[in-house]
Amino acid sequence: MTISLTINGDPLEYSGDPRRTLLSVLRNDLRLTGAKEVCGEGFCGACTVHVDGAPKVACLIPMGTLSGRRITTIEGLGAPDMLNAVQQAFVDHDVVQCGMCFPGMVLSMSHFLAETPHPTRDQIKRAMTGNLCRCTGYERIVDALVSIAPAQEALS
């Protein structure tokens, strides 16, 4: 089966087993290793990518469902010399520790902030559901996000 899709702005023709996961193809075939396989069950969010602009867990998506879709990974979201706002805020607030959750968290929170530009702290915390981080305790992540999207403190 041949599937045409776009990954990080580049057209791709995938010929292979349509049951293979997007995560497997990204990491093993394309060497885009930002998305991490941690739980393999869609629970932790470490493999989050954007599919047509929406965050999805790549470990659960079969390649056969992606014909014509646009995929953005952490590698396509920003460049080392030009980070997106969430990436830069995470660096500035020393959020990154082990790095396992960072790519998925950035993709999820970038989408969330695009849809909710002035979130409360509680909204930010709820939006992190589905992205587990075992290192930071989450408050640094919330502080980083508040710094780029001033929260409505009175509503928290």
Side-chain angles (χ1 to χ4, degrees), residues 4-141:
S4 298
L5 66 156
T6 303
I7 298 182
N8 296 332
D10 296 325
L12 174 76
E13 295 285 324
Y14 169 78
S15 295
D17 186 343
R19 297 169 296 175
R20 274 187 77 199
T21 66
L22 172 59
L23 182 60
S24 173
V25 171
L26 290 173
R27 291 186 59 80
N28 300 318
D29 298 6
L30 303 175
R31 301 293 181 222
L32 295 171
T33 58
K36 309 293 190 238
E37 182 161 5
V38 176
C39 73
E41 297 176 356
F43 180 73
C44 70
C47 66
T48 300
V49 298
H50 286 173
V51 177
D52 293 334
K56 304 287 182 188
V57 287
C59 71
L60 297 181
I61 302 173
M63 287 300 295
T65 65
L66 295 172
S67 183
R69 302 313 250 323
R70 290 177 300 105
I71 311 301
T72 304
T73 68
I74 192 74
E75 293 89 349
L77 195 61
D81 59 340
M82 185 179 246
L83 301 176
N84 92 339
V86 174
Q87 289 170 315
Q88 189 62 58
F90 281 16
V91 169
D92 293 345
H93 286 81
D94 198 27
V95 168
V96 183
Q97 291 188 24
C98 80
M100 293 302 282
C101 75
F102 178 77
M105 187 76 74
V106 167
L107 284 152
S108 293
M109 294 301 96
S110 293
H111 181 263
F112 167 71
L113 291 177
E115 293 201 334
T116 313
H118 301 288
T120 65
R121 289 182 77 84
D122 286 342
Q123 287 174 313
I124 291 170
K125 289 176 183 179
R126 280 193 304 276
M128 287 191 294
T129 301
N131 290 92
L132 300 179
C133 175
R134 295 176 186 231
C135 299
T136 69
Y138 298 99
E139 284 307 311
R140 278 196 249 174
I141 297 169

